[in-house]
Amino acid sequence: MNAPHNPLSSLSPVDTFCFDNRYARLSPAFYRKLAPTPLPHPYRVSISHKAAALIGLDATQAEHPDVIEMIAGNRLPLGADPLAMNYAGHQFGTLVPQLGDGRALLLGEILNPQQQRWTLQLKGAGPTPFSRHADGRAVLRSSIREYLASEAMHALGIATTRAVGIVGSDQVVYRETAETAAVLLRIAPSHVRFGSFEVFYYRNQTPYLKELVDEVIETHFHHLQPETDGYEQFLIEVIERTARLMAQWQAVGFCHGVMNTDNMSILGLTLDYGPFGFMEAFNPQHICNHSDEGGRYSYENQPAIGLWNCSRLAQALTPLIDAQKCNDALALYANLYREKYYALMRAKLGLGISQEGDETLIDSLLDQMGTHGVDFTHWFRALCGFSSTSLRLNQSALSYLSTPLPSALTQWLEQYTQRLATEPQPEAERQAHMRQVNPKYVLRNHLAQVAIDKATTTNDFSEVDHLLKILEHPFDEQPDEEAYAASAPDWAKNLSVSCSS
Ligand code: AMP
Ligand code: MG
């Protein structure tokens, strides 16, 4: 008997999305509608099958040539309604009343088979009315960095936009030098930023401000009832999500680099990866962005900047929320952050129950790590193998650390041993839990650089795929990939990353 005919089976995978473009139905002040600029002769750089599955594409569909054409901006999927989003932002502390997507286009919003909403955005899709004098493109180098970092952060359990894939082209774009263009397809439940609210506040357009708050609540905070909770509860939840995100960044040693309010997601996602970095030799004052001369966005400043950014959002919402209530909401941040941060750090140390003195124990560890420039990831991974009976650290992880261990850290291990003695959990169980929260593999700059060099010099993208596979399982030992857990080689010790992308 013939199988029943499926009318969708002959359709291209890019024409099977179920679009529900809510953002495109908002007032025109929210966006400019336009199609992507086609990218000549696009080719596949890398596809994340895990991210593609979120938008309903299986591995075969994700690799379909039409998907490459779609990411390139050469083929619009059926039902898409592309637009550039309008927003403002505070950049390095200064208000820029008009920014907007200068090179990104929201293709549309789809509901996947599980009825989850994903908004599809092409980054590097050509100029828009918000481009000012820039070219609307993204370079392959920065697209690879964003792609790998997004997927790596997700695997680390940190809220982030996701990256479905990159296509490249030989089209030349100019940054400090000539580079080639690429487009990244990234997805998120929403790409709305703090700056999306600020743009209407600074124009005194309260009706639009209200329209956006109502839209975001209805779509992403459906448990809230503006009539009874007021908008205040919405602000509190955004503050809470931001505090949680900052705690997660700190606990994994992630530095964002450009925490402008236009790069702050209203959903508390890590958004807009530029000159980010994962901490190697621990230094609280570490600045990952070469262009951030004053260190506004240094590692240790991130939690405070998270609050500063929430204050800018709260200010933008003052036409809708009483100023005193905004202040009350902001006053919650410090404790929310503190609780989340220490909960994560206790878990990293395998401390199942909270005890007095834990915070001091954690703070003193980080002090010593900073003094001795200990590799952040290596140290915590080595600690996963720490035996409180033999007072020894995991030997393979330890081999990356400078030896002999500074005496201050040896002393700290003694205090830690005493603290562990009060834990009811058996040692093996504690170590197993610790290995679930202290990654072995993070996206060290030199790893990304090797993949980028191969890609840009020989069009060989295999290292991007390979790195993706490793970073999808950051907590697994992966014995064949040991080399990817090592410190930066000498040539990469002073790699600098700037805003240019
Ligand atoms: P970013 O530094 O990527 O967060 O971008 C800050 C602002 O500059 C946003 O409005 C971007 O859309 C815009 N922008 C960045 N690079 C480009 C580019 N190559 N072409 C057009 N606009 C850009
Ligand atoms: Mg941005």
Side-chain angles (χ1 to χ4, degrees):
M1 213 170 90
N2 286 337
H5 177 67
N6 176 355
L8 294 181
S9 62
S10 55
L11 279 181
S12 159
V14 307
D15 290 330
T16 58
F17 295 125
C18 174
F19 277 99
D20 174 34
N21 302 327
R22 290 182 65 113
Y23 213 82
R25 295 198 293 273
L26 295 174
S27 299
F30 286 82
Y31 47 74
R32 302 287 182 278
K33 291 197 176 181
L34 78 158
T37 305
L39 187 70
H41 311 296
Y43 39 78
R44 174 198 192 277
V45 173
S46 187
I47 300 284
S48 159
H49 291 176
K50 288 186 195 293
L54 298 171
I55 56 171
L57 298 175
D58 64 26
T60 314
Q61 291 170 321
E63 297 289 348
H64 195 284
D66 289 355
V67 171
I68 305 300
E69 290 293 319
M70 176 184 82
I71 300 177
N74 300 347
R75 176 175 177 141
L76 216 51
L78 220 60
D81 197 354
L83 58 87
M85 294 167 82
N86 187 13
Y87 52 86
H90 277 83
Q91 299 193 313
F92 289 88
T94 304
L95 173 70
V96 184
Q98 180 64 67
L99 285 165
D101 288 331
R103 54 169 166 176
L105 284 180
L106 193 72
L107 274 189
E109 305 169 43
I110 65 155
L111 296 173
N112 72 8
Q114 292 75 41
Q115 293 303 298
Q116 294 162 331
R117 179 174 300 271
W118 287 100
T119 66
L120 277 58
Q121 195 184 63
L122 298 179
K123 185 166 176 181
T128 78
F130 302 122
S131 301
R132 289 158 286 173
H133 298 292
D135 59 13
R137 289 297 184 193
V139 295
L140 180 58
R141 163 180 55 85
S142 64
S143 305
I144 290 174
R145 283 174 50 86
E146 172 153 3
Y147 171 79
L148 291 173
S150 316
E151 294 306 283
M153 289 288 267
H154 170 72
L156 289 166
I158 301 177
T160 176
T161 56
R162 300 291 302 271
V164 174
I166 309 175
V167 303
S169 157
D170 291 340
Q171 192 177 74
V172 174
V173 287
Y174 295 93
R175 297 294 181 261
E176 280 91 357
T177 57
E179 301 190 45
T180 58
V183 184
L184 173 75
L185 171 58
R186 70 176 178 190
I187 59 172
S190 167
H191 283 86
V192 170
R193 304 134 193 277
F194 288 10
S196 311
F197 299 85
E198 289 179 287
V199 71
F200 298 123
Y201 170 72
Y202 291 102
R203 289 182 188 172
N204 287 315
Q205 293 176 324
T206 305
Y208 291 144
L209 194 59
K210 185 173 180 317
E211 186 178 345
L212 184 58
V213 176
D214 287 340
E215 162 62 20
V216 171
I217 291 178
E218 199 178 318
T219 317
H220 304 287
F221 295 78
H222 3 85
H223 52 286
L224 295 184
Q225 305 287 329
E227 310 81 60
T228 49
D229 298 327
Y231 292 129
E232 182 196 353
Q233 196 55 36
F234 164 66
L235 176 62
I236 291 174
E237 288 203 20
V238 177
I239 289 171
E240 193 173 358
R241 288 181 190 217
T242 306
R244 183 192 308 139
L245 184 68
M246 293 306 113
Q248 289 180 317
W249 286 0
Q250 299 305 101
V252 78
F254 176 79
C255 302
H256 182 283
V258 198
M259 290 178 63
N260 295 335
T261 55
D262 49 300
N263 292 339
M264 295 293 290
S265 151
I266 199 66
L267 301 184
L269 310 172
T270 311
L271 171 69
D272 274 7
Y273 293 84
F276 67 86
F278 282 86
M279 184 77 79
E280 296 188 41
F282 186 62
N283 167 18
Q285 281 118 44
H286 178 65
I287 305 165
C288 63
N289 177 0
H290 186 63
S291 327
D292 180 10
E293 281 155 19
R296 179 181 171 85
Y297 299 138
S298 69
Y299 170 82
E300 68 180 358
N301 284 354
Q302 293 188 134
I305 290 289
L307 172 59
W308 193 86
N309 289 341
C310 286
S311 308
R312 301 288 68 74
L313 175 68
Q315 183 180 4
L317 296 179
T318 47
L320 305 175
I321 308 174
D322 174 70
Q324 184 56 46
K325 287 188 172 169
C326 284
N327 285 334
D328 292 347
L330 290 167
L332 300 172
Y333 179 94
N335 269 340
L336 287 169
Y337 169 73
R338 194 184 165 81
E339 275 170 24
K340 290 178 202 311
Y341 171 73
Y342 283 111
L344 291 171
M345 294 308 286
R346 269 201 311 274
K348 284 174 85 74
L349 296 187
L351 308 179
I353 37 173
S354 162
Q355 286 183 21
E356 212 183 311
D358 284 354
E359 298 188 3
T360 315
L361 185 72
I362 292 163
D363 294 348
S364 68
L365 170 61
L366 289 168
D367 272 354
Q368 291 310 327
M369 287 171 65
T371 304
H372 299 287
V374 174
D375 185 285
F376 192 87
T377 305
H378 287 155
W379 173 265
F380 285 105
R381 189 70 181 185
L383 217 51
C384 301
F386 179 69
S387 159
S388 50
T389 44
S390 66
L391 264 180
R392 291 177 73 102
L393 288 166
N394 177 310
Q395 283 308 308
S396 78
L398 196 56
S399 65
Y400 299 123
L401 294 172
S402 67
T403 42
L405 212 53
S407 67
L409 281 169
T410 312
Q411 280 165 26
W412 183 87
L413 284 173
E414 282 162 17
Q415 291 170 29
Y416 178 51
T417 305
Q418 288 170 18
R419 173 62 182 82
L420 285 178
T422 67
E423 284 287 318
Q425 219 179 18
E427 184 151 280
E429 213 174 278
R430 167 178 60 76
Q431 293 181 345
H433 282 145
M434 287 171 72
R435 276 191 283 271
Q436 295 308 305
V437 292
N438 291 301
K440 173 160 177 167
Y441 298 97
V442 294
L443 183 57
R444 293 170 186 269
N445 267 340
H446 74 275
L447 299 176
Q449 196 57 46
V450 170
I452 289 166
D453 289 344
K454 253 190 170 173
T456 52
T457 54
T458 60
N459 269 22
D460 175 354
F461 309 121
S462 57
E463 188 62 11
V464 181
D465 285 332
H466 186 73
L467 256 182
L468 175 71
K469 290 279 161 294
I470 296 169
L471 295 169
E472 281 173 346
H473 305 281
F475 302 110
D476 294 356
E477 275 299 317
Q478 306 189 55
D480 294 344
E481 309 294 357
E482 281 290 329
Y484 288 85
S487 308
D490 286 341
W491 65 262
K493 288 266 191 285
N494 295 314
L495 264 185
S496 78
V497 193
S498 75
C499 266
S500 114
S501 60

